[in-house]
PDB file of all heavy atoms in Angstrom:
ATOM      1  N   THR A  29      50.149 281.078  38.921  1.00  0.00           N
ATOM      2  CA  THR A  29      50.803 281.972  39.883  1.00  0.00           C
ATOM      3  C   THR A  29      52.309 281.743  39.770  1.00  0.00           C
ATOM      4  O   THR A  29      52.762 280.597  39.775  1.00  0.00           O
ATOM      5  CB  THR A  29      50.324 281.623  41.305  1.00  0.00           C
ATOM      6  OG1 THR A  29      48.900 281.727  41.328  1.00  0.00           O
ATOM      7  CG2 THR A  29      50.915 282.556  42.340  1.00  0.00           C
ATOM      8  N   LEU A  30      53.081 282.817  39.629  1.00  0.00           N
ATOM      9  CA  LEU A  30      54.539 282.693  39.470  1.00  0.00           C
ATOM     10  C   LEU A  30      55.250 282.766  40.829  1.00  0.00           C
ATOM     11  O   LEU A  30      54.782 283.467  41.735  1.00  0.00           O
ATOM     12  CB  LEU A  30      55.076 283.819  38.586  1.00  0.00           C
ATOM     13  CG  LEU A  30      54.750 283.760  37.092  1.00  0.00           C
ATOM     14  CD1 LEU A  30      55.232 285.027  36.396  1.00  0.00           C
ATOM     15  CD2 LEU A  30      55.365 282.525  36.433  1.00  0.00           C
ATOM     16  N   PRO A  31      56.396 282.091  40.952  1.00  0.00           N
ATOM     17  CA  PRO A  31      57.153 282.193  42.211  1.00  0.00           C
ATOM     18  C   PRO A  31      57.966 283.499  42.285  1.00  0.00           C
ATOM     19  O   PRO A  31      59.165 283.502  42.507  1.00  0.00           O
ATOM     20  CB  PRO A  31      58.062 280.953  42.176  1.00  0.00           C
ATOM     21  CG  PRO A  31      58.223 280.637  40.738  1.00  0.00           C
ATOM     22  CD  PRO A  31      56.995 281.119  40.022  1.00  0.00           C
ATOM     23  N   LEU A  32      57.304 284.604  42.019  1.00  0.00           N
ATOM     24  CA  LEU A  32      57.882 285.956  42.127  1.00  0.00           C
ATOM     25  C   LEU A  32      56.906 286.718  43.005  1.00  0.00           C
ATOM     26  O   LEU A  32      55.706 286.486  42.905  1.00  0.00           O
ATOM     27  CB  LEU A  32      57.921 286.645  40.761  1.00  0.00           C
ATOM     28  CG  LEU A  32      58.696 285.971  39.642  1.00  0.00           C
ATOM     29  CD1 LEU A  32      58.371 286.630  38.298  1.00  0.00           C
ATOM     30  CD2 LEU A  32      60.189 286.088  39.920  1.00  0.00           C
ATOM     31  N   SER A  33      57.389 287.613  43.847  1.00  0.00           N
ATOM     32  CA  SER A  33      56.414 288.252  44.736  1.00  0.00           C
ATOM     33  C   SER A  33      56.725 289.704  45.052  1.00  0.00           C
ATOM     34  O   SER A  33      57.855 290.174  44.894  1.00  0.00           O
ATOM     35  CB  SER A  33      56.262 287.448  46.030  1.00  0.00           C
ATOM     36  OG  SER A  33      57.473 287.441  46.707  1.00  0.00           O
ATOM     37  N   THR A  34      55.674 290.376  45.501  1.00  0.00           N
ATOM     38  CA  THR A  34      55.787 291.753  46.020  1.00  0.00           C
ATOM     39  C   THR A  34      55.373 291.705  47.487  1.00  0.00           C
ATOM     40  O   THR A  34      54.381 291.066  47.834  1.00  0.00           O
ATOM     41  CB  THR A  34      54.848 292.689  45.220  1.00  0.00           C
ATOM     42  OG1 THR A  34      55.322 292.736  43.883  1.00  0.00           O
ATOM     43  CG2 THR A  34      54.828 294.093  45.808  1.00  0.00           C
ATOM     44  N   ARG A  35      56.179 292.351  48.320  1.00  0.00           N
ATOM     45  CA  ARG A  35      55.852 292.412  49.753  1.00  0.00           C
ATOM     46  C   ARG A  35      55.671 293.863  50.149  1.00  0.00           C
ATOM     47  O   ARG A  35      56.428 294.727  49.698  1.00  0.00           O
ATOM     48  CB  ARG A  35      57.014 291.846  50.590  1.00  0.00           C
ATOM     49  CG  ARG A  35      57.163 290.355  50.483  1.00  0.00           C
ATOM     50  CD  ARG A  35      58.548 289.959  51.005  1.00  0.00           C
ATOM     51  NE  ARG A  35      58.833 288.586  50.629  1.00  0.00           N
ATOM     52  CZ  ARG A  35      58.530 287.534  51.383  1.00  0.00           C
ATOM     53  NH1 ARG A  35      57.964 287.706  52.551  1.00  0.00           N
ATOM     54  NH2 ARG A  35      58.815 286.320  50.976  1.00  0.00           N
ATOM     55  N   ILE A  36      54.689 294.094  51.016  1.00  0.00           N
ATOM     56  CA  ILE A  36      54.423 295.454  51.504  1.00  0.00           C
ATOM     57  C   ILE A  36      54.429 295.428  53.023  1.00  0.00           C
ATOM     58  O   ILE A  36      53.891 294.494  53.635  1.00  0.00           O
ATOM     59  CB  ILE A  36      53.067 295.964  50.979  1.00  0.00           C
ATOM     60  CG1 ILE A  36      53.196 296.257  49.489  1.00  0.00           C
ATOM     61  CG2 ILE A  36      52.603 297.193  51.736  1.00  0.00           C
ATOM     62  CD1 ILE A  36      52.022 296.987  48.894  1.00  0.00           C
ATOM     63  N   HIS A  37      55.050 296.439  53.596  1.00  0.00           N
ATOM     64  CA  HIS A  37      55.106 296.553  55.049  1.00  0.00           C
ATOM     65  C   HIS A  37      54.554 297.932  55.400  1.00  0.00           C
ATOM     66  O   HIS A  37      55.078 298.950  54.935  1.00  0.00           O
ATOM     67  CB  HIS A  37      56.583 296.425  55.458  1.00  0.00           C
ATOM     68  CG  HIS A  37      56.798 296.309  56.901  1.00  0.00           C
ATOM     69  ND1 HIS A  37      56.685 295.113  57.572  1.00  0.00           N
ATOM     70  CD2 HIS A  37      57.133 297.236  57.813  1.00  0.00           C
ATOM     71  CE1 HIS A  37      56.942 295.317  58.842  1.00  0.00           C
ATOM     72  NE2 HIS A  37      57.206 296.588  59.019  1.00  0.00           N
ATOM     73  N   LEU A  38      53.465 297.963  56.169  1.00  0.00           N
ATOM     74  CA  LEU A  38      52.845 299.235  56.571  1.00  0.00           C
ATOM     75  C   LEU A  38      53.019 299.388  58.072  1.00  0.00           C
ATOM     76  O   LEU A  38      52.678 298.471  58.826  1.00  0.00           O
ATOM     77  CB  LEU A  38      51.340 299.217  56.270  1.00  0.00           C
ATOM     78  CG  LEU A  38      50.889 298.841  54.859  1.00  0.00           C
ATOM     79  CD1 LEU A  38      49.380 298.626  54.824  1.00  0.00           C
ATOM     80  CD2 LEU A  38      51.267 299.933  53.886  1.00  0.00           C
ATOM     81  N   SER A  39      53.542 300.522  58.471  1.00  0.00           N
ATOM     82  CA  SER A  39      53.798 300.700  59.896  1.00  0.00           C
ATOM     83  C   SER A  39      53.331 302.078  60.336  1.00  0.00           C
ATOM     84  O   SER A  39      53.601 303.080  59.671  1.00  0.00           O
ATOM     85  CB  SER A  39      55.303 300.550  60.117  1.00  0.00           C
ATOM     86  OG  SER A  39      55.656 301.093  61.336  1.00  0.00           O
ATOM     87  N   CYS A  40      52.600 302.129  61.456  1.00  0.00           N
ATOM     88  CA  CYS A  40      52.180 303.451  61.946  1.00  0.00           C
ATOM     89  C   CYS A  40      52.666 303.674  63.370  1.00  0.00           C
ATOM     90  O   CYS A  40      52.165 304.530  64.067  1.00  0.00           O
ATOM     91  CB  CYS A  40      50.668 303.615  61.857  1.00  0.00           C
ATOM     92  SG  CYS A  40      49.755 302.442  62.839  1.00  0.00           S
ATOM     93  N   GLU A  41      53.659 302.907  63.805  1.00  0.00           N
ATOM     94  CA  GLU A  41      54.209 303.117  65.150  1.00  0.00           C
ATOM     95  C   GLU A  41      55.530 303.847  65.008  1.00  0.00           C
ATOM     96  O   GLU A  41      56.457 303.347  64.376  1.00  0.00           O
ATOM     97  CB  GLU A  41      54.415 301.773  65.837  1.00  0.00           C
ATOM     98  CG  GLU A  41      53.091 301.109  66.174  1.00  0.00           C
ATOM     99  CD  GLU A  41      53.271 299.656  66.573  1.00  0.00           C
ATOM    100  OE1 GLU A  41      54.354 299.299  67.051  1.00  0.00           O
ATOM    101  OE2 GLU A  41      52.315 298.900  66.377  1.00  0.00           O
TER     102      GLU A  41
END
Side-chain angles (χ1 to χ4, degrees):
T29 303
L30 288 174
L32 301 168
S33 63
T34 295
R35 288 164 193 270
I36 288 190
H37 189 83
L38 308 169
S39 162
C40 61
E41 291 167 26

